[in-house]
Amino acid sequence: MTEDAATPPTPEHASRTSRGEPSTFLEAIAEALFEEMIRDEAVLLLGEDIGEYGGAFKVTRGFLDRFGPDRVVDTPIAEAGFTGLAAGAAHVGLRPVVEMQFMDFISPAYDVITNYIATSRYRGAGAQPLVIRGPVGGGGRAGPFHSQNVEMAFFHTPGLNIVYPSTARDAKGLLKAAIRSDEPVIFEEHKGLYRAPFLREVLPVDDLVIPLGKARTAREGEDVTVVTYGMMVHRCLAAARSLEEEGVSVEVVDLRTLLPLDDDHIMESVRKTGRLLIVHEDTRTGGIAGEIAIRVNEQAFEWLDAPIARVTAPDAPVPYAPDLEDAFLPDEAEIARAVRYLAKY
Amino acid sequence: MTPGISHMDGEAGSSPPAVPLPDLVRVLQQLFLSRALTRAVPEHGLRAWPVPRSSAVPLAEGILDAAAVCAATMMRAPSREHGGGSSEFLATSPHLPGGALARGVTAQRWLAGAVGPPVPGSDPAPPWGPIPSLGLPGPFPFPGIAVQVLAGMTLPQQDPDGSPGTLHWPAVGVVVAHRSALTSGAVHEGFNLAAVRRSALVLVLGSTEDGPPGEGSPPRPELDDVAEAYGVRAVRASALDIPILLGELGRGLASVRRGEGPLLMEVDARPGEDGIRDPLTVLRDRVIRAREADAATVAELEEDARLELDEAIRRISNPTSGYIGGTGPASPPPEGASP
């Protein structure tokens, strides 16, 4: 992209790819937002402290200088209000991207998201091209108000898409696709991945758009399929590497998009291995594992050689205490134990 | 100052700018029909939405209907069908007949929506169907979401012909709700955002109980407080004087189009000298007195509304229309009652 002398500079963290440098997960998100705002003037950002302060995690640092206060909108602490405002903006041709400072705070906006935004097209009221994005997940010693995963609060609401990437590449490509989608998208970003050094990668210079609704195989294997997403992809990959030394070949499927689920990809892997473990950081009851298990039961039961198993967080709020939080979150050892059980079944 | 209107930020003794008024006979026609619809549901025993005919606040429907009809009348191009490309949006509860009529819904369609969905397998030929919130991505049963969404629809945008930072207001919106909407936090969130972002939004709040006596009174203190808190203007217009209400809405719409920020408007009825507290009755008398239509023509308009309603009722009563219930008691007759 070209910049004249009067144009405020492109934020350094949102332009690593153009310099051939590797990007973190967070920088990939910043790049996606920045590039989409350059590409389409209808894209605007709304959220608490995203302008002057650059966002709680500094995703939008420097965006206000570049795009001005009408496209980088600092909002009051009023999640319902600014999500509703975004819905209105989406109706008149804009493409709002709402940042929840922490996704835990999305609950005040549940009404407008589920009753209004999600139902809009079904009511004949037209598309709602908007994205609601923000940090999720535990491990940061942030307790129950800043560590939740919110996907299942919205999973059963027709009309929504839910995306939960696990790599910098996917974060950028999926976010760009979400912004270009005519459907409302809830985009979850695990804060533990934001600056994870192992996720730094050089991203393609070309316009990187990854279609929504498509899972990917993060690791190929023959004995057991592990279906997962987000931070747990990396725990499962670590478990798979250690199990390989024991002679167990694990296939890891990264869902990337939770709603709609990529049934075809899941079934293909299950039919290959005959064994399925589902892993999620979200709590157990009403977790996505239940939905995936019943779909496999419906579509691939004859291929199963073992019961479907799951590793999840327990049914409890995310604890403050470090020891308790460590025990709360699924870890590599738990995953490996479950895979061994299935492999030997 | 024009009788019946108070401007919070107006200069004492100054006259507000003149606003060309529309055809009052047309407004009267709409009010006749909305009144007929309001009364039809309980009078015909339709299974329907709870239209509060016997509310403890007898002016409820009259005031909100008048506000909705007048708002739509003063909008440049009130939408007749969703997707028509209008940039003027009116949000009311779908249950408010005046609001539905103002958005272009026919009496038959409103009643069809009131009666309920068609019997499965029947042929719900047009115009039967759910009540659309015409011109709007509605319906808006909850005023909070209406205020939030319209605040977003009426955001200022970069003027395509202006220098960077030059804004214009390509869309305006009016939300008509009962004053009790101010008890909703969602309404406050939406209106606060409208104020912060200077959305082109008029929030019309109908007060259905008597206000403090005296024409020209300012908005109730609690509305003034809300407006002051959000740094917006508040005005009050009497629902009993339709020309004044139309004028105030016209000025309000013009001001939000100019980017002066959202407007809070109270519409109510306050005890007057003649004791008549019904917008429809007052307007009918005025139209006749001012010779805008003679008494016979006005009577004909009222009769037309009744005939349109009768036709709508007849079609709903027709079993082939496919609607559950049709006419008849809203609940089964008591045991032992004669057929």
Side-chain angles (χ1 to χ4, degrees):
Chain A
M1 65 196 75
T2 59
E3 294 178 3
D4 60 36
T7 305
T10 302
E12 185 263 347
H13 72 300
S15 55
R16 291 197 180 281
T17 299
S18 64
R19 298 194 298 275
E21 298 173 1
S23 299
T24 62
F25 189 93
L26 183 146
E27 289 161 349
I29 289 167
E31 280 193 3
L33 293 172
F34 191 86
E35 289 176 15
E36 290 304 295
M37 292 184 79
I38 292 286
R39 186 188 63 80
D40 183 355
E41 288 193 349
V43 178
L44 77 158
L45 314 182
L46 303 103
E48 296 155 0
D49 297 327
I50 65 167
E52 294 281 352
Y53 190 64
F57 289 87
K58 302 298 182 188
V59 172
T60 53
R61 187 179 66 232
F63 280 48
L64 178 64
D65 292 339
R66 180 61 180 255
F67 298 108
D70 294 309
R71 294 186 65 198
V72 183
V73 179
D74 271 325
T75 66
I77 301 174
E79 287 81 6
F82 62 73
T83 305
L85 189 92
H91 276 310
V92 293
L94 301 176
R95 289 189 175 266
V97 180
V98 173
E99 177 178 299
M100 293 289 163
Q101 195 167 69
F102 288 81
M103 273 294 201
D104 311 62
F105 308 158
I106 199 172
S107 50
Y110 186 83
D111 181 15
V112 71
I113 294 171
T114 58
N115 281 320
Y116 189 83
I117 293 170
T119 62
S120 179
R121 192 186 280 284
Y122 293 78
R123 289 183 283 110
Q128 279 280 280
L130 63 85
V131 177
I132 301 169
R133 51 159 291 271
V136 296
R141 312 308 187 212
F145 307 132
H146 298 80
S147 306
Q148 296 173 70
N149 289 280
V150 302
E151 56 269 24
M152 296 314 290
F154 299 97
F155 185 74
H156 73 294
T157 302
L160 298 177
N161 290 258
I162 303 173
V163 176
Y164 199 147
S166 68
T167 68
R169 185 179 191 281
D170 282 359
K172 182 173 180 180
L174 289 166
L175 183 53
K176 287 169 77 92
I179 292 170
R180 296 181 194 187
S181 169
D182 286 336
E183 306 300 330
V185 178
I186 293 176
F187 196 91
E188 298 188 55
E189 304 158 5
H190 198 292
K191 61 182 81 71
L193 302 178
Y194 269 161
R195 295 182 172 85
F198 68 93
L199 285 182
R200 278 185 191 277
E201 62 178 310
V202 177
L203 299 172
V205 177
D206 295 340
D207 191 23
L208 176 61
V209 180
I210 296 173
L212 306 184
K214 296 292 180 189
R216 73 181 177 102
T217 300
R219 176 192 174 97
E220 294 210 8
E222 301 297 328
D223 300 329
V224 177
T225 294
V226 179
V227 171
T228 187
Y229 56 95
M231 172 64 90
M232 289 299 117
V233 169
H234 305 289
R235 301 262 165 95
C236 292
L237 287 171
R241 285 191 291 271
S242 66
L243 287 162
E244 190 174 26
E245 296 168 7
E246 301 173 22
V248 180
S249 173
V250 178
E251 178 149 304
V252 178
V253 173
D254 177 0
L255 290 172
R256 302 201 287 193
T257 299
L258 309 185
L259 194 63
L261 274 172
D262 187 352
D263 284 4
D264 291 346
H265 198 112
I266 296 168
M267 301 313 154
E268 186 182 340
S269 181
V270 169
R271 286 171 183 145
K272 181 171 80 172
T273 65
R275 291 171 170 82
L276 173 62
L277 172 69
I278 305 155
V279 179
H280 56 70
E281 183 184 311
D282 198 7
T283 49
R284 194 171 189 82
T285 301
I288 202 169
E291 178 62 26
I292 294 171
I294 197 67
R295 290 191 190 199
V296 171
N297 186 58
E298 291 164 348
Q299 299 177 47
F301 179 76
E302 300 296 332
W303 282 265
L304 287 175
D305 296 321
I308 299 168
R310 59 181 165 172
V311 172
T312 72
D315 289 331
V318 184
Y320 274 116
D323 288 352
L324 288 177
E325 187 176 29
D326 288 345
F328 172 88
L329 296 169
D331 64 14
E332 185 184 326
E334 276 182 275
I335 296 163
R337 193 160 49 244
V339 171
R340 284 190 204 102
Y341 164 79
L342 290 177
K344 290 177 182 172
Y345 189 87
Chain B
M1 186 170 290
T2 306
I5 302 178
S6 172
H7 295 262
M8 189 183 83
D9 57 351
E11 293 175 22
S14 66
S15 296
V19 174
L21 291 182
D23 179 5
L24 291 179
V25 177
R26 170 69 182 151
V27 176
L28 185 61
Q29 201 174 10
Q30 294 263 297
L31 290 179
F32 275 137
L33 195 51
S34 67
R35 178 63 54 88
L37 285 169
T38 300
R39 291 178 175 170
V41 170
E43 284 178 2
H44 290 266
L46 301 174
R47 298 174 192 172
W49 297 318
V51 178
R53 181 185 62 159
S54 55
S55 162
V57 278
L59 293 178
E61 286 74 49
I63 286 178
L64 292 176
D65 281 336
V69 168
C70 289
T73 303
M74 295 310 291
M75 294 167 93
R76 276 184 190 149
S79 298
R80 290 299 172 195
E81 290 294 341
H82 174 64
S86 169
S87 57
E88 311 234 343
F89 305 102
L90 172 65
T92 71
S93 160
H95 298 187
L96 186 68
L101 292 169
R103 295 191 305 271
V105 178
T106 65
Q108 289 175 0
R109 202 161 181 181
W110 187 86
L111 279 171
V115 168
V119 174
S122 65
D123 178 19
W128 308 105
I131 297 292
S133 273
L134 296 185
L136 273 176
F140 286 102
F142 315 115
I145 289 180
V147 174
Q148 293 167 7
V149 171
L150 261 70
M153 296 173 81
T154 58
L155 282 171
Q157 295 183 27
Q158 169 68 40
D159 187 342
D161 302 323
S163 55
T166 307
L167 300 178
H168 75 138
W169 281 260
V172 299
V174 178
V175 177
V176 177
H178 188 272
R179 187 170 61 90
S180 61
L182 282 182
T183 61
S184 157
V187 168
H188 284 273
E189 281 198 20
F191 199 62
N192 181 32
L193 279 158
V196 170
R197 303 308 308 172
R198 300 187 72 75
S199 296
L201 177 69
V202 180
L203 174 56
V204 178
L205 297 173
S207 295
T208 52
E209 69 274 34
D210 284 346
E215 290 186 342
S217 302
R220 284 155 218 260
E222 61 267 33
L223 265 74
D224 261 350
D225 288 348
V226 168
E228 187 178 358
Y230 295 133
V232 304
R233 297 156 298 135
V235 296
R236 180 252 164 184
S238 169
L240 298 182
D241 193 325
I242 295 295
I244 284 181
L245 178 54
L246 288 164
E248 198 61 47
L249 282 159
R251 276 185 289 280
L253 286 163
S255 74
V256 300
R257 279 191 197 105
R258 288 193 298 268
E260 293 176 10
L263 178 69
L264 188 61
M265 179 180 293
E266 180 181 30
V267 175
D268 69 355
R270 300 185 182 183
E273 287 181 353
D274 58 8
I276 298 172
R277 289 149 62 202
D278 175 3
L280 174 58
T281 304
V282 173
L283 180 61
R284 175 170 48 196
D285 293 348
R286 179 194 177 108
V287 163
I288 295 170
R289 209 168 47 242
R291 298 179 188 280
E292 294 182 51
D294 58 31
T297 304
V298 169
E300 199 175 319
L301 289 175
E302 192 164 11
E303 178 65 6
D304 285 348
R306 194 186 64 76
L307 291 173
E308 186 171 345
L309 176 68
D310 285 349
E311 172 62 11
I313 296 289
R314 189 189 65 75
R315 293 195 62 178
I316 284 182
S317 306
N318 182 351
T320 61
S321 71
Y323 276 81
I324 296 171
T327 56
S331 54
E335 245 179 80
S338 51

